[in-house]
């Protein structure tokens, strides 16, 4: 089965810095990869999707890269703010019509003033 | 739009009891999913459905059952609750064949089996 590893359980950075979160996967290569944000006591919220033929995707202060050779995705938050503090999940899909997502454990990001 | 609505938000069950977790969506999504999330673990897929009348097992289906009689509703049934089913359960939906929007998740049901 697909194995997904997110670089660390917790990441603490100072406000204004760039947060970089890592997602590594094994076994088969996904057709696309998604990133979600999850706040305590809430369900995950979809942020970005990147396809296997895309190297980079941006949305406002968010940037995602996808390296199928390294089997890795990087998720960047530039000019981080305390409001960005949350758990970030990466999820992979095989691209089949069934659309089943496999989720990593998540990285808890804390941005301190 | 309400999105994906889950009820109840919290529930305590005794071992051996049964219950149904309700999930309804108002976005006309064909695909619906049930995940469980244990502390420090990733979301695990329990069951999913690609349309009314069609369901299939995910990674951890044992101890659960589902049905999909309408596009809107996807209830999850626990027949004989066990302590190992203590978890937070999330229902999600997505448009068929359109991955651009990702999954829409409900706010979850926190279940404790004692």
């Amino acid at each position: 089965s697909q194995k997904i590893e997110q670089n660390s359980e917790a990441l603490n950075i100072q406000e204004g810095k760039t947060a970089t979160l890592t997602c590594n996967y094994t076994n088969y290569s996904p057709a696309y990869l998604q990133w979600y944000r999850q706040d305590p006591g809430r369900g995950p919220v979809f942020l970005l999707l990147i396809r296997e033929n895309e190297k980079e995707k941006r949305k406002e202060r968010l940037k995602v890269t996808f390296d199928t050779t390294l089997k890795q995705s990087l998720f960047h938050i530039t000019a981080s703010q305390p409001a960005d503090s949350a758990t970030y999940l990466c999820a992979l899909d095989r691209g089949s019509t069934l659309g089943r997502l496999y989720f990593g454990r998540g990285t808890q990001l804390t941005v301190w003033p | 739009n309400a999105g994906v609505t889950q009820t109840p938000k919290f529930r305590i069950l005794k071992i051996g009891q049964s219950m149904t977790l309700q999930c309804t969506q108002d976005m006309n999504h064909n695909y619906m999913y049930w995940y469980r999330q244990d502390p420090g673990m990733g979301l695990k897929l329990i069951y999913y459905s690609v349309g009314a009348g069609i369901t299939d097992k995910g990674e951890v289906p044992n101890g659960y059952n589902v049905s999909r009689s309408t596009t809107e509703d996807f209830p999850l049934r626990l027949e004989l609750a066990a302590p190992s089913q203590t978890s937070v359960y999330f229902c999600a939906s997505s448009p068929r064949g359109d991955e651009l929007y990702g999954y829409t998740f409900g706010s979850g049901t926190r279940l404790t089996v004692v």
Side-chain angles (χ1 to χ4, degrees), chain B residues 5-63:
Chain B
T5 302
Q6 291 184 239
T7 56
K9 293 190 181 301
F10 304 92
R11 183 73 186 269
I12 298 175
L13 277 183
K14 293 185 179 179
I15 294 172
Q17 286 186 322
S18 300
M19 78 164 293
T20 298
L21 282 67
Q22 301 292 343
C23 175
T24 187
Q25 53 94 5
D26 62 358
M27 298 170 286
N28 201 33
H29 287 174
N30 281 318
Y31 285 44
M32 295 188 74
Y33 316 85
W34 274 105
Y35 285 88
R36 61 176 287 173
Q37 187 176 38
D38 300 319
M41 303 297 290
L43 291 155
K44 299 294 185 185
L45 182 64
I46 306 171
Y47 270 95
Y48 64 97
S49 170
V50 300
I54 306 170
T55 63
D56 206 348
K57 297 177 180 178
E59 300 172 86
V60 290
N62 292 341

Side-chain angles (χ1 to χ4, degrees), chain B residues 12-19 63-64 77-86 89 111-114:
Chain B
I12 298 175
L13 277 183
K14 293 185 179 179
I15 294 172
Q17 286 186 322
S18 300
M19 78 164 293
Y64 308 95
R77 178 81 177 164
L78 282 71
E79 291 295 347
L80 293 171
S84 60
Q85 294 177 305
T86 293
Y89 292 83
L111 175 67
T112 302
V113 181
V114 296

Side-chain angles (χ1 to χ4, degrees), chain A residues 1 9 32 34 36 38 41-46 49 51 89 93 96-106, chain B residues 31 33 35 37 40-43 45 48 50 57-59 90 96 99-108 110:
Chain A
S1 63
E9 290 186 2
Y32 58 87
Q34 300 183 2
Y36 288 79
Q38 187 174 24
R42 308 294 296 271
V45 175
F46 172 69
L49 174 148
R51 294 187 176 88
L89 311 173
D93 186 280
S96 70
T97 56
L98 299 178
R100 291 171 11 174
L101 281 183
Y102 295 91
F103 282 83
R105 296 183 179 187
Chain B
Y31 285 44
Y33 316 85
Y35 285 88
Q37 187 176 38
M41 303 297 290
L43 291 155
L45 182 64
Y48 64 97
V50 300
K57 297 177 180 178
E59 300 172 86
F90 289 101
R96 178 178 186 272
E99 74 278 11
L100 294 177
Y101 299 99
Y103 286 14
T104 300
F105 282 84
S107 56
R110 185 175 296 274

Side-chain angles (χ1 to χ4, degrees), chain A residues 13-71:
Chain A
I13 65 168
Q14 188 176 21
E15 182 176 9
K17 304 292 186 182
T18 296
T20 299
L21 287 66
T22 304
C23 178
N24 295 297
Y25 59 92
T26 60
N27 298 337
Y28 56 83
S29 294
Y32 58 87
L33 185 150
Q34 300 183 2
W35 284 89
Y36 288 79
R37 168 181 174 144
Q38 187 174 24
D39 292 290
R42 308 294 296 271
V45 175
F46 172 69
L47 295 175
L48 278 171
L49 174 148
I50 186 166
R51 294 187 176 88
E52 60 180 339
N53 60 350
E54 297 176 319
K55 296 294 185 184
E56 182 179 298
K57 184 72 71 73
R58 292 177 184 263
K59 178 182 177 182
E60 298 175 350
R61 295 185 294 112
L62 308 180
K63 185 178 82 171
V64 173
T65 62
F66 196 5
D67 189 325
T68 55
T69 301
L70 294 178
K71 293 186 182 294

Side-chain angles (χ1 to χ4, degrees), chain A residues 68-87:
Chain A
T68 55
T69 301
L70 294 178
K71 293 186 182 294
Q72 181 182 82
S73 174
L74 298 179
F75 178 80
H76 306 273
I77 305 176
T78 58
S80 59
Q81 305 166 0
D84 295 326
S85 298
T87 297

